[in-house]
Amino acid sequence: MGKIFIALLTMLCISCNTPDHPGNKVWAWMSGANSMTAEQWDYYFKKSSEAGIDAILLECHGGYPKTPDDTTSFRDSAAIEIITSALPYAKKYHIELHAWIWTMNRTEMNLRKAHPEWYQVNAAGESCLDIKLYNREHYRWLCPSRSETLNYLKERVAELAEIEGLAGVHLDFIRYPDAILPYALHESRHVVQDRVYPLWDFCYCPVCRGRFKALSGMDPLDLEDPTSNEAWMQYRWDVLSYVAGELCLEIKKHGKTASIAVFATPEESKKLVRQDWAGFKNVDVFFPMIYHKFYGWDDERVLSATKEGVRALKAAEAGGYLCSGLFAGHVPPERLQEFIQYTAEGGSRGICFFSVQEIDRIPGYWEAIRKRFGAQP
Ligand SMILES: [Zn+2]
């Protein structure tokens, strides 16, 4: 009886985005581009508003950013332009707008040209600028140990966070490249990853090796099985957590919400992408991307993954709250309610959909969300 009552209560609460329940929002990620027309902006924000979406995480710096040739000024004017183009529509339809950026994964050509030494190096001694990791042009990753990296990212975050009317900055790709890809992707990407291989094991740049040696007396390149060396794993987790915490602090200094997109569970994140997100400080909202089919998981794992994240944040006294992210393509519109129930039972505050464009692509999706969260006639 008690369990049913709690389930009903969580079902009710997820839709009541009143001042009494400010955390229970309906969120969605959305791609942005400088080429988007007024009609496109209006269409997506109107559809989102009608469906009951409260907040949009708008991608303004992704894998293929528009960057100038200038290697002396790195101000991300293209990202700022995307946000300022979208803001009037967010305001018109009463949607909270957050600037979503890729963080450690930075592909801008001017930065690559000016500072190739800031990029991560694998255990085989190859820079991620010199190889096409996973055959992806956009897999170019900054080293978290370098103060230059942190300063650069702080500047990019600050220039967005100071935009008037913006609610927050959302950090994605705040991790290392995949040491191991999510399990269900191995076949389609033609990789064998029964363990961590040097090609996919980062960062062994001179700065990381030097800093770790100063701490432990060991050169990580001398380790026979680096993944089983706790100190070396811990070093990489910690240095990334430090960067995440500092960037979130920068966002908050501007009075904005700091949020992050992370892998599905704390344990999988640590293992696959060396992201110990439960240990990140200064985060207001954690969005685990519980895209369960990429992991080859059953649907019910959405519940247990949410629960694991909530538990880990509580244990780490992280401060922020968790909002589960669902991949629309993995959640049929007719079963939306079932999946929302999984996240609510797991302890998620609100729900986040990937993505506005994905929702728009799948017949019946807008209607399903509107039926669940939109204003009733
Ligand atoms: Zn490094």
Coordinates of all heavy atoms in Angstrom, one line a residue, residues 208-267:
C208 N 50.9 15.1 -17.6 CA 50.2 14.1 -16.8 C 51.2 13.2 -16.2 O 51.2 12.8 -15.0 CB 49.1 13.4 -17.6 SG 47.7 14.4 -17.9
R209 N 52.1 12.7 -17.1 CA 53.1 11.7 -16.6 C 54.0 12.4 -15.5 O 54.3 11.8 -14.5 CB 54.0 11.3 -17.8 CG 53.3 10.3 -18.7 CD 54.1 10.1 -19.9 NE 55.4 9.5 -19.7 CZ 56.5 9.5 -20.5 NH1 56.3 10.0 -21.7 NH2 57.6 8.9 -20.2
G210 N 54.4 13.6 -15.7 CA 55.2 14.3 -14.8 C 54.5 14.6 -13.4 O 55.1 14.3 -12.4
R211 N 53.3 15.0 -13.5 CA 52.5 15.2 -12.3 C 52.3 14.0 -11.5 O 52.4 13.9 -10.3 CB 51.2 16.0 -12.6 CG 51.4 17.4 -12.9 CD 50.2 18.2 -13.1 NE 49.2 18.1 -12.0 CZ 48.0 18.7 -12.0 NH1 47.7 19.6 -12.9 NH2 47.2 18.6 -11.0
F212 N 52.0 12.9 -12.2 CA 51.7 11.6 -11.5 C 53.0 11.1 -10.9 O 53.0 10.5 -9.8 CB 51.1 10.6 -12.5 CG 50.8 9.3 -11.8 CD1 49.8 9.2 -10.8 CD2 51.5 8.1 -12.1 CE1 49.5 8.0 -10.2 CE2 51.2 6.9 -11.5 CZ 50.2 6.9 -10.5
K213 N 54.1 11.3 -11.6 CA 55.4 10.8 -11.1 C 55.8 11.5 -9.9 O 56.3 11.0 -8.9 CB 56.5 10.9 -12.2 CG 57.8 10.1 -11.8 CD 58.7 9.9 -13.0 CE 59.8 9.0 -12.6 NZ 60.7 8.7 -13.7
A214 N 55.5 12.8 -9.9 CA 55.9 13.6 -8.7 C 55.0 13.2 -7.5 O 55.5 13.2 -6.3 CB 55.6 15.1 -9.0
L215 N 53.8 12.7 -7.7 CA 52.9 12.3 -6.6 C 53.3 10.9 -6.2 O 53.2 10.6 -5.0 CB 51.5 12.2 -7.1 CG 50.7 13.6 -7.1 CD1 49.4 13.4 -7.8 CD2 50.5 14.0 -5.7
S216 N 53.6 10.0 -7.1 CA 53.6 8.5 -6.8 C 55.0 7.9 -7.0 O 55.3 6.8 -6.6 CB 52.7 7.8 -7.7 OG 53.1 7.8 -9.0
G217 N 55.9 8.6 -7.7 CA 57.2 8.1 -8.0 C 57.2 7.2 -9.2 O 58.2 6.6 -9.6
M218 N 56.0 7.0 -9.8 CA 55.9 6.1 -11.0 C 55.6 6.8 -12.3 O 54.9 7.8 -12.3 CB 54.8 5.1 -10.8 CG 55.0 4.1 -9.6 SD 53.5 3.0 -9.5 CE 52.4 4.1 -8.6
D219 N 56.2 6.3 -13.4 CA 55.8 6.8 -14.7 C 54.7 5.9 -15.2 O 54.9 4.7 -15.3 CB 57.0 6.8 -15.6 CG 56.7 7.3 -17.0 OD1 55.5 7.4 -17.4 OD2 57.6 7.6 -17.8
P220 N 53.5 6.4 -15.5 CA 52.4 5.5 -15.8 C 52.7 4.7 -17.1 O 52.1 3.6 -17.2 CB 51.2 6.5 -16.1 CG 51.8 7.9 -16.2 CD 53.1 7.8 -15.4
L221 N 53.7 5.1 -17.9 CA 54.0 4.3 -19.1 C 54.7 3.0 -18.7 O 54.8 2.1 -19.5 CB 54.9 5.1 -20.0 CG 54.2 6.1 -21.0 CD1 55.2 6.7 -22.0 CD2 53.1 5.3 -21.8
D222 N 55.3 3.0 -17.5 CA 56.0 1.8 -17.0 C 55.0 0.8 -16.4 O 55.4 -0.3 -16.1 CB 57.0 2.2 -15.9 CG 58.2 3.0 -16.5 OD1 58.4 3.0 -17.7 OD2 58.8 3.8 -15.7
L223 N 53.8 1.2 -16.2 CA 52.8 0.2 -15.6 C 52.4 -0.9 -16.6 O 52.1 -0.6 -17.7 CB 51.6 1.0 -15.1 CG 51.8 2.1 -14.1 CD1 50.5 2.9 -13.9 CD2 52.2 1.5 -12.7
E224 N 52.5 -2.1 -16.1 CA 52.1 -3.2 -17.0 C 50.7 -3.2 -17.3 O 50.3 -3.4 -18.5 CB 52.5 -4.5 -16.3 CG 52.8 -5.6 -17.2 CD 53.6 -6.7 -16.6 OE1 54.8 -6.5 -16.2 OE2 53.0 -7.8 -16.4
D225 N 49.8 -3.0 -16.3 CA 48.4 -2.9 -16.6 C 47.8 -1.6 -15.9 O 47.4 -1.6 -14.8 CB 47.7 -4.1 -16.0 CG 46.2 -4.1 -16.2 OD1 45.7 -3.2 -17.0 OD2 45.4 -4.9 -15.5
P226 N 47.9 -0.5 -16.6 CA 47.6 0.8 -16.0 C 46.2 0.9 -15.5 O 45.9 1.5 -14.5 CB 47.7 1.8 -17.2 CG 48.5 1.1 -18.3 CD 48.3 -0.4 -18.1
T227 N 45.2 0.1 -16.1 CA 43.9 0.2 -15.6 C 43.7 -0.4 -14.2 O 42.8 0.0 -13.4 CB 42.9 -0.6 -16.6 OG1 43.2 0.0 -17.9 CG2 41.5 -0.4 -16.2
S228 N 44.6 -1.4 -13.9 CA 44.5 -2.0 -12.5 C 45.2 -1.2 -11.5 O 45.2 -1.6 -10.3 CB 44.9 -3.5 -12.6 OG 46.3 -3.5 -12.8
N229 N 45.9 -0.2 -11.9 CA 46.7 0.6 -10.9 C 45.8 1.7 -10.3 O 45.4 2.7 -11.0 CB 47.9 1.2 -11.6 CG 48.8 1.9 -10.5 OD1 48.4 3.0 -10.0 ND2 49.9 1.4 -10.2
E230 N 45.4 1.5 -9.1 CA 44.4 2.4 -8.4 C 44.9 3.8 -8.4 O 44.1 4.7 -8.6 CB 44.2 1.9 -7.0 CG 43.0 0.9 -6.9 CD 42.8 0.5 -5.5 OE1 42.7 1.3 -4.6 OE2 42.7 -0.8 -5.3
A231 N 46.2 4.0 -8.1 CA 46.6 5.4 -8.0 C 46.6 6.1 -9.3 O 46.2 7.3 -9.3 CB 48.1 5.4 -7.4
W232 N 46.9 5.5 -10.4 CA 46.8 6.1 -11.7 C 45.4 6.4 -12.1 O 45.1 7.4 -12.7 CB 47.6 5.2 -12.7 CG 47.6 5.7 -14.1 CD1 47.4 4.9 -15.2 CD2 47.9 7.0 -14.6 NE1 47.5 5.6 -16.4 CE2 47.8 6.9 -16.0 CE3 48.2 8.2 -14.1 CZ2 48.0 8.0 -16.9 CZ3 48.4 9.3 -14.9 CH2 48.3 9.2 -16.3
M233 N 44.5 5.4 -11.8 CA 43.1 5.7 -12.1 C 42.6 6.8 -11.3 O 41.9 7.7 -11.8 CB 42.3 4.4 -11.8 CG 42.5 3.2 -12.8 SD 42.1 3.6 -14.5 CE 40.4 3.7 -14.5
Q234 N 42.9 6.8 -10.0 CA 42.5 7.9 -9.1 C 43.0 9.3 -9.6 O 42.3 10.3 -9.5 CB 42.9 7.6 -7.7 CG 42.3 8.4 -6.6 CD 40.8 8.1 -6.5 OE1 40.4 7.0 -6.3 NE2 39.9 9.1 -6.5
Y235 N 44.2 9.3 -10.0 CA 44.8 10.6 -10.5 C 43.9 11.1 -11.6 O 43.6 12.3 -11.6 CB 46.3 10.4 -11.0 CG 46.8 11.7 -11.6 CD1 47.2 12.7 -10.8 CD2 46.7 11.9 -13.0 CE1 47.6 13.9 -11.4 CE2 47.1 13.1 -13.6 CZ 47.6 14.1 -12.8 OH 47.9 15.3 -13.3
R236 N 43.6 10.3 -12.6 CA 42.9 10.7 -13.7 C 41.4 11.1 -13.4 O 40.9 12.1 -13.8 CB 42.9 9.7 -14.8 CG 44.3 9.6 -15.5 CD 44.4 8.7 -16.7 NE 44.4 7.3 -16.2 CZ 44.5 6.3 -17.1 NH1 44.6 6.5 -18.4 NH2 44.5 5.0 -16.6
W237 N 40.8 10.4 -12.5 CA 39.5 10.8 -12.0 C 39.5 12.1 -11.3 O 38.7 13.0 -11.6 CB 38.9 9.7 -11.0 CG 38.6 8.4 -11.6 CD1 38.0 8.2 -12.8 CD2 38.7 7.1 -10.9 NE1 37.8 6.8 -13.0 CE2 38.2 6.2 -11.9 CE3 39.1 6.7 -9.7 CZ2 38.1 4.8 -11.6 CZ3 39.0 5.3 -9.4 CH2 38.6 4.4 -10.3
D238 N 40.5 12.3 -10.4 CA 40.6 13.5 -9.6 C 40.9 14.7 -10.4 O 40.3 15.8 -10.2 CB 41.6 13.3 -8.5 CG 41.2 12.4 -7.4 OD1 40.1 12.0 -7.4 OD2 42.1 12.0 -6.6
V239 N 41.8 14.6 -11.4 CA 42.1 15.8 -12.1 C 40.9 16.3 -13.0 O 40.7 17.5 -13.1 CB 43.4 15.6 -12.9 CG1 43.3 14.7 -14.1 CG2 44.0 16.9 -13.3
L240 N 40.2 15.4 -13.5 CA 39.0 15.7 -14.2 C 37.9 16.3 -13.3 O 37.3 17.3 -13.7 CB 38.4 14.5 -15.0 CG 37.2 14.9 -15.8 CD1 37.6 15.7 -17.1 CD2 36.5 13.6 -16.3
S241 N 37.7 15.7 -12.1 CA 36.8 16.2 -11.2 C 37.1 17.7 -10.8 O 36.2 18.5 -10.6 CB 36.7 15.4 -9.9 OG 36.3 14.1 -10.2
Y242 N 38.4 17.9 -10.7 CA 38.8 19.3 -10.3 C 38.4 20.3 -11.4 O 37.8 21.3 -11.1 CB 40.3 19.3 -10.1 CG 40.9 20.7 -9.8 CD1 40.6 21.3 -8.6 CD2 41.6 21.4 -10.8 CE1 41.1 22.6 -8.4 CE2 42.0 22.7 -10.6 CZ 41.8 23.3 -9.4 OH 42.2 24.6 -9.2
V243 N 38.6 19.9 -12.7 CA 38.3 20.8 -13.8 C 36.8 21.0 -13.8 O 36.3 22.2 -13.9 CB 38.7 20.2 -15.1 CG1 38.2 21.0 -16.3 CG2 40.3 20.2 -15.2
A244 N 36.0 20.0 -13.6 CA 34.5 20.1 -13.6 C 34.1 21.0 -12.5 O 33.2 21.9 -12.7 CB 33.9 18.7 -13.5
G245 N 34.6 20.8 -11.3 CA 34.2 21.7 -10.2 C 34.6 23.1 -10.4 O 33.8 24.0 -10.1
E246 N 35.7 23.4 -11.0 CA 36.1 24.8 -11.2 C 35.2 25.4 -12.3 O 34.9 26.6 -12.2 CB 37.6 24.8 -11.7 CG 38.6 24.6 -10.6 CD 38.6 25.6 -9.5 OE1 38.9 26.8 -9.8 OE2 38.2 25.3 -8.3
L247 N 34.9 24.7 -13.3 CA 34.0 25.3 -14.4 C 32.6 25.5 -13.8 O 32.0 26.6 -14.2 CB 34.0 24.3 -15.6 CG 35.3 24.2 -16.3 CD1 35.2 23.2 -17.5 CD2 35.9 25.5 -16.8
C248 N 32.1 24.6 -13.0 CA 30.8 24.8 -12.5 C 30.8 26.0 -11.5 O 29.8 26.8 -11.5 CB 30.3 23.6 -11.8 SG 29.9 22.3 -12.9
L249 N 31.9 26.2 -10.8 CA 32.0 27.4 -9.9 C 32.0 28.7 -10.8 O 31.3 29.6 -10.4 CB 33.3 27.2 -9.2 CG 33.5 28.2 -8.0 CD1 32.5 28.1 -6.9 CD2 34.9 28.1 -7.4
E250 N 32.6 28.6 -11.9 CA 32.7 29.8 -12.8 C 31.2 30.1 -13.3 O 30.9 31.3 -13.3 CB 33.6 29.5 -14.0 CG 33.8 30.6 -14.9 CD 34.6 31.8 -14.3 OE1 35.5 31.5 -13.4 OE2 34.4 32.9 -14.7
I251 N 30.5 29.1 -13.6 CA 29.1 29.3 -14.0 C 28.3 30.0 -12.9 O 27.6 30.9 -13.1 CB 28.5 28.0 -14.5 CG1 29.2 27.4 -15.7 CG2 27.0 28.2 -14.8 CD1 28.9 25.9 -15.9
K252 N 28.5 29.4 -11.7 CA 27.7 29.9 -10.6 C 28.1 31.3 -10.1 O 27.3 32.1 -9.6 CB 27.8 28.9 -9.4 CG 27.0 27.6 -9.7 CD 27.6 26.5 -8.9 CE 27.0 26.4 -7.5 NZ 25.8 25.6 -7.5
K253 N 29.3 31.7 -10.4 CA 29.8 33.0 -10.1 C 29.0 34.1 -10.8 O 28.9 35.2 -10.4 CB 31.3 33.2 -10.5 CG 32.2 32.8 -9.4 CD 33.7 33.2 -9.9 CE 34.7 32.5 -9.0 NZ 36.0 32.5 -9.7
H254 N 28.5 33.6 -12.0 CA 27.7 34.5 -12.8 C 26.2 34.4 -12.5 O 25.3 34.9 -13.2 CB 27.9 34.2 -14.3 CG 29.2 34.6 -14.8 ND1 30.3 33.8 -14.6 CD2 29.6 35.7 -15.5 CE1 31.4 34.4 -15.1 NE2 31.0 35.6 -15.7
G255 N 25.9 33.7 -11.4 CA 24.5 33.6 -10.9 C 23.7 32.6 -11.8 O 22.5 32.7 -11.8
K256 N 24.4 31.7 -12.5 CA 23.7 30.8 -13.4 C 23.7 29.4 -12.9 O 24.6 29.0 -12.1 CB 24.3 30.9 -14.9 CG 24.3 32.3 -15.5 CD 23.0 32.8 -15.9 CE 22.9 34.3 -16.1 NZ 23.5 34.7 -17.3
T257 N 22.8 28.6 -13.4 CA 22.7 27.2 -13.1 C 23.8 26.4 -13.8 O 24.0 26.5 -15.0 CB 21.4 26.5 -13.5 OG1 20.3 27.3 -12.8 CG2 21.3 25.1 -13.1
A258 N 24.6 25.6 -13.0 CA 25.6 24.7 -13.6 C 25.1 23.3 -13.7 O 24.8 22.7 -12.7 CB 26.9 24.8 -12.7
S259 N 25.1 22.8 -14.9 CA 24.6 21.4 -15.1 C 25.6 20.6 -15.9 O 26.3 21.2 -16.7 CB 23.2 21.3 -15.6 OG 23.2 21.8 -17.0
I260 N 25.5 19.3 -15.8 CA 26.4 18.4 -16.6 C 25.7 17.2 -17.1 O 24.8 16.7 -16.5 CB 27.7 18.0 -15.8 CG1 27.2 17.2 -14.5 CG2 28.6 19.1 -15.4 CD1 28.4 16.5 -13.8
A261 N 26.2 16.8 -18.3 CA 25.7 15.5 -18.9 C 26.7 14.5 -18.6 O 27.9 14.7 -18.9 CB 25.5 15.7 -20.4
V262 N 26.3 13.4 -18.1 CA 27.3 12.3 -17.7 C 26.9 11.0 -18.2 O 25.7 10.8 -18.6 CB 27.5 12.3 -16.1 CG1 28.2 13.6 -15.6 CG2 26.2 12.1 -15.4
F263 N 27.8 10.0 -18.1 CA 27.4 8.6 -18.5 C 26.4 8.0 -17.6 O 26.2 8.6 -16.5 CB 28.7 7.8 -18.7 CG 29.2 7.8 -20.1 CD1 29.2 8.9 -20.9 CD2 29.7 6.6 -20.7 CE1 29.6 9.0 -22.2 CE2 30.2 6.6 -22.0 CZ 30.1 7.8 -22.8
A264 N 25.8 6.9 -18.0 CA 24.6 6.4 -17.3 C 24.6 6.1 -15.8 O 23.7 6.5 -15.1 CB 24.1 5.1 -18.1
T265 N 25.7 5.6 -15.4 CA 25.8 5.3 -13.9 C 27.2 5.7 -13.5 O 28.2 5.7 -14.3 CB 25.7 3.8 -13.5 OG1 26.8 3.1 -14.0 CG2 24.4 3.2 -14.1
P266 N 27.4 6.0 -12.2 CA 28.7 6.4 -11.7 C 29.8 5.3 -12.0 O 30.9 5.7 -12.4 CB 28.5 6.6 -10.2 CG 27.1 6.9 -10.0 CD 26.4 6.1 -11.1
E267 N 29.5 4.1 -11.8 CA 30.5 3.0 -12.0 C 30.9 2.8 -13.4 O 32.0 2.7 -13.8 CB 30.0 1.7 -11.4 CG 30.1 1.7 -9.8 CD 31.4 2.1 -9.3 OE1 32.5 1.7 -9.7 OE2 31.4 3.0 -8.4

